[in-house]
Amino acid sequence: MAMDLKSIPALADVEPVRSTKTPLHLEYEYTAGEASSRFLRAMKDKRITGQRCPVCQKVYVPPRGACPTDGVPTTDEVELGHQGTVTTYCIVNVQFYGSVMQVPYCSALVLVDGSDIPIFGLVQDEGFSVDDVRMGLRVEAVWAPDEDLTTSLENILYWRPTGDPDADYESYKEHV
Amino acid sequence: MSDDILRAPLIIEYPFARTLGPAQTAFFTGLREGIILGAKGAAGQVIVPPVEYDPLTGEALEELVEVGQAGEVTTWAWVAEPGDKHVLDHPFAFALIKLDGADQPLLHVVDAGDESAMSTGMRVQVRWKDEREGHINDIEAFVPEEVSA
């Protein structure tokens, strides 16, 4: 016999409290740093820039200013194209708290042409079903209207399939 | 150089909720109804807030006990500069309060006005919130006990 509210006369006929809210709220001031600040300012001009490691030659986007493998500054800035390849993806079917997205939608990692690190984005287009997303899908950036451009990765609203043939797995297998 | 560095607020919020289980359901339901409950431990001691299992023997506890709404401060710490997450916006004390009829103290706040009004062993009583929902903050604070003549 477990604890029984009815053993307390004042609680015999009331609705029990069965759950409690324990919200968490954390306030930070995020400092982008030199490399990411340059990247975000370029984003405002509808440019995608990365930085190349002088040792391993890998191009990082967004750049962090140093190569995590070789531990050297990545000073060589590289302007990248606006097309890329879906290396992996997730179709979201659950409406989670705080999300403004309509389900189902597709989150993907897009390897921008000329870079070695995929970046996160949405894959969609008018008349395009998330069922058609696949590894190797070729996509291009869809930018926010010029007046809405800001120093944010959100300038790329989503990635739209180009209609080109899929990328060969060999071409991106190092980046999956 | 530093003018080129971008900064932005980053606010992270998690709307956690959790179920309470039988002991805390009893405790929080009691708070909403304006009473404070404990559990009777295996050795007959009264534990507030109630726990489901005896902390020494591990036995399942079954008996709920209503305790008093006043008690004794067993230890305390003065908070001279409350933060924005604290429930009171003016200086207060965090205190362990052994309620009448309880054998273990409860952690809560004492709204004493000034640090000089605080002392170990002082008597305090509950100040309830007007609108209660079944939450620890249904007890707005403990206040120094009014001594009736």
Side-chain angles (χ1 to χ4, degrees), chain A residues 82-101:
Chain A
H82 290 193
Q83 296 196 348
T85 300
V86 172
T87 60
T88 187
Y89 62 93
C90 169
I91 295 170
V92 181
N93 288 295
V94 177
Q95 189 76 54
F96 56 89
Y97 175 89
S99 170
V100 294
M101 298 296 299

Side-chain angles (χ1 to χ4, degrees), chain A residues 46-69:
Chain A
K46 283 211 251 188
R47 294 187 298 121
I48 306 175
T49 56
Q51 286 181 351
R52 177 178 282 119
C53 171
V55 178
C56 67
Q57 304 299 316
K58 282 202 162 78
V59 173
Y60 294 103
V61 58
R64 301 294 180 212
C67 175
T69 306

Side-chain angles (χ1 to χ4, degrees), chain A residues 1-5 7-8 10-11 14-34 36-37 40-41 97 151, chain B residues 1 3-20 23 25-26 29-30 32-33 35 37 39 51 61-62 64 85 134-135:
Chain A
M1 180 66 210
M3 287 176 181
D4 186 5
L5 280 187
S7 66
I8 304 294
L11 305 184
V14 302
E15 183 62 29
V17 178
R18 297 200 187 280
S19 73
T20 190
K21 288 176 183 163
T22 55
L24 195 71
H25 179 96
L26 303 168
E27 286 189 25
Y28 295 97
E29 172 92 3
Y30 178 75
T31 303
E34 212 172 294
S36 295
S37 292
L40 292 168
R41 290 191 194 289
Y97 175 89
T151 49
Chain B
M1 178 74 76
D3 289 349
D4 296 336
I5 307 294
L6 293 169
R7 294 167 197 273
L10 176 64
I11 296 169
I12 298 173
E13 285 182 309
Y14 297 108
F16 294 132
R18 64 180 178 87
T19 50
L20 292 169
T25 284
T29 306
R32 192 189 62 203
E33 303 303 321
I35 62 174
L37 296 177
V51 291
L61 302 179
E62 295 171 4
L64 292 167
K85 300 286 196 319
H135 191 276

